[in-house]
Amino acid sequence: MSLLPITLVVITHNEADNIARCLDSVPFAAEKLVVDSGSTDDTVAVARAHGARVVHQDWLGFGPQRNAAATHCSHDWILALDADESLSPELARELEQGLPALMASEVPAAILRRRTIFMGRAMRWYRPSVGEKMARLYHRGRARWSDARVHESLRFEGSVPTLRAPFNHVNNPTLVHKQLKVLRYSELKCLDWLDKGKSVRMWQAPFVYWLSFVKDYVFRLGALDGWRGFIVAHTAASYALYKRMRYYEMRHHPESVRLAEAALLRHGIER
């Protein structure tokens, strides 16, 4: 596979178990860049062993961290993957064949389809996990990540192409990982709400769980994936409810922001 003038960017923190698979899945990238926020495991060593250049960047939040990472790239075209994501062989071939024409055009980005691996195998029916469309390939002069601490999105103007083959996402290898992620993402989302002065709206809380559960289990076809679909719908609904309860606490007990940050750091979870 010939090398193409594109940078694979991965932002990491304690991803030693995942980073090799991610980096090795993009053999055509002329540059592989890992932007690490202070891993205490072997992430940095493994990344370097698999051909990546590693730079340190203190954690800024997902959106700002991705924008900071883009400034370290040697190429304008960037493929952004998370450490628990990797290209399928089919997508790697599609990109190798299509990237030269794409990079010669004036388009700002391209949409990739993400396939989720949950509890050891791919989800078959649950809509957000089957071909979820995500902008991950872009020109850094024509697109930029939003500044959100979490649930960031790539911002650009104009129409963009969508690739056919999927990339893979190993979504939370255990439910323990999932719950830790819920704690971290909830904290980040609530801090964004706090910065914006969002109203609390606790009156919504009794309805949030059930509306979210029905949306994912019924309308997004989680039910067709059996008990795994039930678990996904439950964890999504629990996350929707917990965010609102945690935000209520932040607004009514401001000291909880500092106390929670210290508790998360004791468990190796950076905010």
Side-chain angles (χ1 to χ4, degrees):
M1 208 174 259
S2 58
L3 296 181
L4 297 172
I6 187 171
T7 299
L8 165 65
V9 174
V10 190
I11 57 175
T12 61
H13 183 262
N14 291 342
E15 294 286 358
D17 292 338
N18 294 315
I19 190 62
R21 179 182 63 242
C22 177
L23 295 172
D24 292 347
S25 74
V26 193
F28 55 81
E31 180 182 47
K32 299 179 183 182
L33 175 67
V34 168
V35 178
D36 189 77
S37 56
S39 292
T40 56
D41 64 1
D42 293 330
T43 297
V44 171
V46 173
R48 286 174 174 154
H50 286 261
R53 176 166 63 93
V54 180
V55 299
H56 174 84
Q57 171 61 60
D58 290 340
W59 183 246
L60 302 171
F62 280 97
Q65 192 81 354
R66 292 193 192 278
N67 285 326
T71 67
H72 293 283
C73 296
S74 300
H75 303 286
D76 286 332
W77 277 96
I78 295 171
L79 173 62
L81 294 179
D82 292 339
D84 60 359
E85 298 171 341
S86 59
L87 300 189
S88 65
E90 297 81 8
L91 180 55
R93 287 193 294 269
E94 185 178 355
L95 284 168
E96 186 192 22
Q97 295 169 5
L99 273 175
L102 180 71
M103 292 188 293
S105 72
E106 295 299 319
V107 300
I111 304 295
L112 307 184
R113 303 175 189 268
R114 186 168 75 170
R115 173 175 58 198
T116 295
I117 313 298
F118 182 61
M119 292 188 170
R121 53 198 175 96
M123 299 292 280
R124 296 184 59 194
W125 294 98
Y126 178 56
R127 303 325 301 163
S129 297
V130 182
E132 180 183 14
K133 294 182 179 181
M134 311 186 81
R136 292 297 191 84
L137 177 63
Y138 68 101
H139 188 288
R140 65 179 170 183
R142 304 169 195 157
R144 177 181 173 81
W145 295 94
S146 64
D147 289 326
R149 288 186 176 92
V150 68
H151 304 314
E152 73 287 5
S153 60
L154 191 64
R155 304 291 178 82
F156 53 85
E157 295 182 357
S159 59
V160 297
T162 299
L163 283 79
R164 298 186 64 179
F167 69 103
N168 295 321
H169 176 215
V170 181
N171 183 23
N172 304 303
T174 71
L175 288 177
V176 173
H177 292 80
K178 176 63 176 179
Q179 294 308 309
L180 292 173
K181 187 175 182 178
V182 164
L183 288 174
R184 184 189 185 200
Y185 279 28
S186 297
E187 203 70 12
L188 293 170
K189 190 63 177 178
C190 289
L191 288 170
D192 275 347
W193 287 347
L194 199 63
D195 288 347
K196 296 173 182 177
K198 178 182 173 72
S199 57
V200 177
R201 300 177 183 172
M202 271 300 289
W203 62 268
Q204 296 176 346
F207 311 103
V208 162
Y209 177 90
W210 291 110
L211 290 173
S212 177
F213 181 86
V214 169
K215 177 183 70 176
D216 283 299
Y217 193 62
V218 178
F219 296 105
R220 290 182 169 177
L221 306 184
L224 297 181
D225 273 308
W227 285 115
R228 289 189 306 147
F230 176 88
I231 292 167
V232 165
H234 165 72
T235 54
S238 296
Y239 171 55
L241 177 58
Y242 175 75
K243 280 187 299 186
R244 287 158 176 81
M245 296 190 299
R246 176 66 182 121
Y247 185 56
Y248 175 87
E249 181 180 37
M250 283 185 177
R251 290 289 298 268
H252 287 77
H253 179 34
E255 178 66 4
S256 71
V257 175
R258 183 189 65 81
L259 295 172
E261 180 179 18
L264 291 171
L265 287 173
R266 284 198 298 272
H267 290 84
I269 305 172
E270 64 178 351
R271 199 181 67 184

